[in-house]
């Protein structure tokens, strides 16, 4: 007998988090302990925070929240508690290999396969290999299937890519066995499969709600199917279009392979409903089984907005219908469009719109964009007006002051303290921060004036010789700069010695970089959130470096740090 599935959706014009929180309070809030004993599965930690805030707004007072679990949390079993990996259960799932440890091991394997590849490129390629492996594990595709890819008609670079991936197929499993660990994606799959089996056999004595999850990974789809079948289970999809006709729904895909030739029609993977359709298909459910989540909030947009958005997102083959749509299905009242010539104008226009909204009593505003460069430009514009934007995506460590300082240090050493790189380092806002900052800047500006003109010889000795030269019309400027240079030079001498040497172990390079940075900036460099993130990255990199390439050229350090810091998001 097929069990009834408890499937719901909140339309896009409703405030998802607030509608969800109010609906759960209405269902279970009569007994505070019943609500508190429930389990709420959400996609990410950011969603967890948003829904927590929505519960606070909806409660109007004290409230015991259900256990919120982000299924995208790297430490999923710790975040979920005993219901996901009970201490008295079966054999525990092996621990996952640390992402940075895996990357450095793969970088070492890349260099072993191609001795001509430098360390920075090996680290970059290791990241690409890791992401490809994760995608295959999430989709539960055996990586060994890559060996069956027909390469007869592929370009030579595709063949090289497949040859590189052979590292993952032949060497990486041996490394995992040696460490006694598994990939993080594989571990998450096993944990999700375990809890699905447990709940299928022994349904929990509390409500379980999975909300806002759109990833169509097979392990997650199987878990959501189990949740939907539970007596107290609910799956709440975000913005599933129930009004889309069957023809349009079928056009999204995915499609079966053709009987002749085995070709498969390409699915509309960029359509906003595609992954929801794929998730529902993998759950073994039908769109007709999904019911509306009938809760409205004061933060909702006009209902007509949902239909207009759906009409705008029609597949290309159906856009001929646009001219036949009634006005109610294409009305975008209150929506404005702008055409600008440059990204700078775009950011300025958005910043002005945000400021206008904030200056209107009772209004709030948000910028939703996948373009991180646009987000940074808008944040810089509104900062001029004393407004601080809470950027939920965070900023890459490489663009924040501690990150730019470390990169400036590495770049100055790599360029032999060329004037431009040297001055960028010495004028960095974190260098000599505090009471002595003004005197330091005066000396750095004097050095700037003295270094204009022909480039001095490489190294600190080249700067010394240039400043000590008594000849020329600017001899007095050089003499003034030389007095200050004698106080700044000792900070850089250990770094120069490091870059003069040949390849060295990565931990020694990082240790000297950290010590030089601390000498220039003091302990305050590591004090704020971005500084703590930089310190944590250097610490982990030093600890895990033993698994990576044995020796690293100092000139590669800048590129290695930039690659890794671009992937570290620091959130306010």
């Amino acid at each position: 007998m097929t069990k009834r599935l408890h499937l719901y959706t909140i339309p896009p014009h409703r405030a998802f988090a607030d509608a969800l929180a109010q609906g759960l309070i209405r269902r279970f809030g009569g007994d505070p302990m019943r609500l508190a004993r429930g389990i709420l599965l959400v996609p990410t930690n950011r969603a967890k925070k948003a829904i927590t805030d929505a519960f606070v707004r909806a409660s109007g007072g004290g409230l015991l929240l259900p256990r919120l679990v982000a299924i995208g949390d790297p430490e999923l079993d710790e975040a979920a508690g005993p219901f996901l990996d009970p201490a008295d259960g079966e054999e525990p799932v092996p621990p996952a290999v640390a992402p940075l440890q895996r990357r450095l091991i793969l970088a070492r394997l890349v260099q072993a396969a191609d001795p001509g590849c430098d360390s920075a490129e090996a680290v970059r390629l290791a990241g690409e290999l890791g992401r490809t492996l994760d995608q295959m594990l999430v989709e539960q595709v055996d990586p060994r299937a890559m060996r069956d890819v027909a390469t007869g008609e592929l370009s030579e670079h595709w063949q090289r890519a497949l040859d590189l991936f052979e590292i993952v197929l032949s060497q990486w499993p041996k490394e995992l066995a040696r460490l006694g660990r598994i990939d993080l994606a594989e571990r998450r799959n096993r944990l999700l499969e375990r809890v699905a089996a447990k709940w299928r056999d022994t349904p929990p004595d509390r409500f379980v709600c999975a909300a806002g999850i759109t990833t169509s990974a097979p392990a997650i789809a199987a878990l959501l199917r189990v949740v939907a079948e539970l007596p107290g289970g609910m799956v709440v999809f975000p913005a599933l279009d129930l009004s889309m006709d069957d023809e349009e729904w079928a056009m999204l895909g995915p499609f079966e392979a053709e009987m002749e030739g085995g070709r498969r029609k390409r699915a509309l993977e960029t359509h906003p409903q595609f992954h929801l359709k794929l998730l529902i298909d993998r759950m073994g459910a039908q769109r007709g089984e999904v019911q509306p989540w009938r809760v409205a909030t004061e933060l909702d947009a006009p209902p007509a907005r949902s239909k207009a958005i759906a009409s705008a997102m029609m597949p290309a083959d159906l856009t001929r219908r646009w001219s036949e749509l009634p006005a109610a299905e294409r009305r975008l009242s209150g929506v404005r469009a702008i055409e600008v010539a440059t990204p700078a104008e775009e950011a300025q226009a958005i910043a002005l719109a945000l400021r206008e909204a904030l200056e209107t009593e009772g209004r709030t505003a948000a910028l939703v964009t996948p373009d991180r460069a646009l987000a940074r430009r808008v944040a810089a514009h509104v900062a001029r007006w004393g407004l601080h934007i809470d950027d939920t995506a965070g900023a890459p460590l490489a663009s924040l002051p501690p990150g730019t300082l470390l990169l400036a240090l590495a770049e100055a050493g790599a360029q032999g303290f060329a004037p431009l790189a040297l001055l960028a380092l010495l004028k960095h806002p974190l260098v000599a921060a505090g009471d002595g900052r003004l005197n330091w800047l005066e000396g750095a500006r004097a050095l700037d004036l003295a270094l204009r003109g022909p480039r001095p010889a490489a190294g600190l000795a080249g700067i010394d010789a240039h400043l000590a030269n008594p000849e020329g019309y600017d001899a007095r400027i050089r003499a003034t700069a030389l007095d200050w240079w004698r106080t700044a030079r000792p900070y850089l001498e250990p770094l120069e010695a490091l870059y003069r040497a040949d390849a060295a172990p990565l931990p020694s390079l990082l240790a000297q970089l950290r010590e030089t940075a601390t000498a220039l900036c003091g302990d305050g460099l590591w004090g704020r959130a971005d500084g703590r993130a930089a310190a944590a990255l250097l610490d982990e990199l030093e600890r895990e470096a033993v698994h990576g390439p044995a020796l690293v050229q100092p000139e590669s350090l800048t590129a290695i740090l930039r690659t890794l810091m671009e992937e570290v998001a620091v959130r306010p």
Side-chain angles (χ1 to χ4, degrees):
M1 178 179 175
T2 303
K3 296 182 179 179
R4 177 177 177 270
L5 301 181
H6 306 96
L7 304 175
Y8 303 89
T9 184
I10 297 175
H13 68 272
R14 297 205 188 283
F16 183 88
D18 291 87
L20 176 70
Q22 291 185 24
L24 292 176
I25 290 174
R26 289 182 189 178
R27 288 172 182 252
F28 308 108
D31 180 357
M33 294 309 300
R34 188 182 179 198
L35 180 65
R37 293 179 66 247
I39 299 169
L40 184 54
L41 304 178
V42 297
T44 63
N45 284 318
R46 286 165 59 186
K48 182 177 174 180
K49 181 179 183 300
I51 292 173
T52 299
D53 293 343
F55 270 113
V56 172
R57 288 192 294 269
S59 65
L63 183 68
L64 294 175
L65 299 182
R67 178 187 287 273
L68 276 75
V69 179
I71 61 171
D73 194 320
E75 304 295 337
L76 180 59
D77 49 340
E78 294 184 11
F83 85 86
L84 193 59
D85 194 10
D88 58 348
E90 53 191 284
E91 183 179 351
V93 177
V97 62
L100 187 56
Q101 182 183 16
R102 180 180 75 167
R103 186 163 195 163
L104 291 173
I105 293 174
L106 289 175
R108 170 168 54 81
L109 297 177
V110 167
Q111 274 199 319
D114 181 7
C117 181
D118 80 334
S119 301
E121 179 64 7
V123 169
R124 187 192 69 80
L125 288 173
E128 298 296 333
L129 286 175
R131 280 186 283 273
T132 302
L133 176 61
D134 284 342
Q135 289 174 356
M136 300 187 76
L137 292 175
V138 166
E139 290 295 321
Q140 296 185 351
V141 175
D142 189 343
R144 290 173 295 183
M146 291 290 285
R147 287 180 172 145
D148 300 329
V149 174
T151 60
E153 300 179 1
L154 296 182
S155 301
E156 183 180 348
H157 72 279
W158 279 106
Q159 183 60 57
R160 289 199 303 269
L162 290 175
D163 292 342
L164 183 63
F165 196 72
E166 184 65 28
I167 292 172
V168 172
L169 303 180
S170 59
Q171 300 297 321
W172 178 238
K174 299 176 184 177
E175 295 288 339
L176 285 177
R178 178 178 62 83
L179 296 170
R181 295 177 179 269
I182 59 177
D183 285 292
L184 181 60
E186 174 65 19
R187 187 170 193 273
R188 184 180 289 115
N189 284 346
R190 294 191 191 183
L191 288 171
L192 294 174
E193 290 168 357
R194 177 172 293 189
V195 73
K198 178 186 175 184
W199 284 351
R200 187 183 299 111
D201 297 337
T202 309
D205 58 348
R206 63 197 70 189
F207 81 84
V208 179
C209 177
I213 298 171
T214 59
T215 180
S216 55
I220 292 177
L223 175 62
L224 295 188
R225 170 75 190 202
V226 172
V227 170
E229 291 178 343
L230 294 174
M234 293 170 286
V235 175
V236 184
F237 299 111
L240 178 66
D241 191 348
L242 299 180
S243 63
M244 181 185 293
D245 63 45
D246 292 340
E247 179 189 4
E248 186 176 348
W249 182 255
M251 292 178 68
L252 301 181
F255 303 100
E256 297 293 334
E258 297 177 359
M259 295 295 294
E260 296 182 5
R263 293 186 177 275
R264 188 189 303 269
K265 183 180 178 182
R266 186 165 185 174
L268 301 180
E269 297 179 359
T270 58
H271 194 283
Q273 294 290 313
F274 171 77
H275 285 283
L276 285 170
K277 182 177 186 295
L278 182 58
L279 175 59
I280 291 174
D281 289 347
R282 287 180 172 178
M283 288 175 62
Q286 299 294 325
R287 185 174 53 138
E289 299 177 86
V290 182
Q291 308 171 52
W293 184 264
R294 301 189 183 281
V295 177
T297 75
E298 60 183 9
L299 301 176
D300 296 346
R305 184 76 55 83
S306 291
K307 188 58 183 176
I309 292 173
S311 299
M313 296 296 178
M314 279 184 180
D317 291 345
L318 298 181
T319 52
R320 63 182 184 277
R321 298 181 181 177
W322 282 350
S323 60
E324 304 169 2
L325 289 174
E329 295 186 10
R330 50 188 171 89
R331 183 180 296 119
L332 287 171
S333 303
V335 175
R336 292 181 292 173
I338 60 170
E339 294 184 9
V340 292
T342 65
E345 291 181 11
E346 178 188 25
Q348 189 170 30
I350 293 172
L352 287 170
L354 292 175
R355 179 178 178 179
E356 179 185 16
L358 294 178
E359 289 179 347
T360 305
E361 186 176 355
R363 290 189 64 189
T364 59
L367 170 62
V368 182
T369 175
D371 187 342
R372 302 306 308 143
L374 174 62
R376 287 194 291 271
R377 290 191 192 100
V378 173
H381 275 296
V382 299
R384 295 184 303 161
W385 305 318
L387 301 175
H388 173 69
I389 284 187
D390 181 9
D391 189 347
T392 57
L397 179 57
S399 68
L400 297 174
T404 57
L405 174 82
L406 294 173
L407 292 175
L409 265 174
E411 188 64 21
Q415 292 191 23
F417 300 98
L420 187 60
L422 175 63
L423 291 169
L425 169 62
L426 296 177
K427 292 182 180 182
H428 192 280
L430 292 181
V431 173
D435 296 337
R437 173 71 176 172
L438 184 59
N439 292 334
W440 179 275
L441 281 181
E442 289 178 353
R445 289 167 185 152
L447 181 64
D448 186 351
L449 291 174
L451 291 178
R452 296 181 183 182
R455 176 174 173 170
L460 300 180
I463 304 291
D464 295 340
H466 177 77
L467 297 180
N469 183 5
E471 300 179 357
Y473 69 92
D474 57 348
R476 182 177 298 177
I477 296 175
R478 293 198 300 271
T480 302
L482 181 60
D483 292 336
W484 176 83
W485 173 244
R486 292 193 179 102
T487 65
R489 189 186 196 280
Y491 293 109
L492 305 176
E493 290 172 354
L495 192 65
E496 182 185 41
L498 191 69
Y499 274 83
R500 279 183 174 175
D502 291 330
L506 183 57
S508 63
L509 294 175
L510 295 171
Q512 187 57 66
L513 192 73
R514 185 185 64 251
E515 291 172 8
T516 303
T518 304
L520 284 170
C521 306
D523 292 335
L525 168 64
W526 319 108
R528 298 171 51 186
D530 48 5
R532 291 191 294 272
L537 175 62
L538 291 181
D539 178 65
E540 186 181 8
L541 195 52
E542 283 188 66
R543 285 187 286 105
E544 302 294 356
V546 65
H547 301 287
L551 297 175
V552 174
Q553 292 291 339
E555 293 77 13
S556 300
L557 188 57
T558 305
I560 291 174
L561 288 176
R562 189 184 304 278
T563 297
L564 297 178
M565 287 195 292
E566 285 287 352
E567 299 174 8
V568 176
V570 180
R571 296 180 175 86

